[in-house]
């Protein structure tokens, strides 16, 4: 992997983690949303990552496997299919006949843990970019 390959792989990680942070923020913002446009409570969203690879020749694929990965990309954002919470609140406008309200399946604690994980991954990618940049600067100094 060349110098620009390392920066490109880290940049893809930065982009993916930024999207993940946006989705987590959206989940936290809608933790109490009981009515959506589709009907029913808000459903937690999850970002799906996969290793980035494009259509390439076999020799390129072999050298990529020998050198390391080429980054990550987001393949989609899916809704979490875990069950919603039922909360007894007969005064809520969305309460059913028994007084229960269907609440979103968002757990604030797990969202905060995911946010910390995404932040740490983002910081690791920034560190990798800075290391690649530092190595390039040192290589230029050697060439003087």
């Amino acid at each position: 992997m060349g110098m620009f390959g390392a920066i490109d792989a880290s940049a893809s990680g930065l982009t993916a983690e930024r999207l993940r942070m946006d989705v987590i923020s959206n989940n936290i913002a809608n933790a109490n949303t009981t009515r959506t446009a589709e009907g029913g409570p808000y459903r937690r969203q999850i970002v799906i990552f996969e290793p980035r690879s494009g259509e390439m020749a076999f020799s390129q694929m072999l050298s990529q496997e020998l050198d390391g990965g080429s980054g990550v990309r987001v393949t989609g954002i899916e809704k979490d299919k875990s069950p919603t919470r039922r909360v007894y609140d007969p005064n809520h406008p969305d309460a059913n006949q028994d007084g229960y309200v269907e609440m979103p399946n968002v757990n604030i604690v797990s969202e905060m843990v995911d946010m910390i994980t995404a932040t740490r991954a983002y910081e690791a990618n920034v560190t990798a970019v800075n290391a690649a940049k530092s190595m390039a600067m040192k290589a230029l100094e050697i060439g003087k």
Side-chain angles (χ1 to χ4, degrees), residues 35-100:
R35 192 180 311 167
T36 61
E38 299 94 31
Y42 176 80
R43 291 274 180 179
R44 177 177 183 251
Q45 296 178 335
I46 303 169
V47 178
I48 308 296
F49 293 156
E50 78 172 12
R52 191 172 67 176
S53 63
E55 293 182 24
M56 61 180 81
F58 177 75
S59 62
Q60 290 174 326
M61 189 178 300
L62 181 62
S63 86
Q64 178 184 350
E65 290 298 321
L66 293 175
D67 291 342
S70 63
V72 66
R73 70 181 182 132
V74 175
T75 58
I77 299 173
E78 294 183 358
K79 292 190 177 192
D80 187 0
K81 294 181 175 66
S82 64
T84 58
R85 293 179 293 128
R86 289 183 64 191
V87 175
Y88 182 72
D89 186 3
N91 296 327
H92 195 282
D94 292 330
N96 62 13
Q97 296 172 347
D98 298 330
Y100 286 98

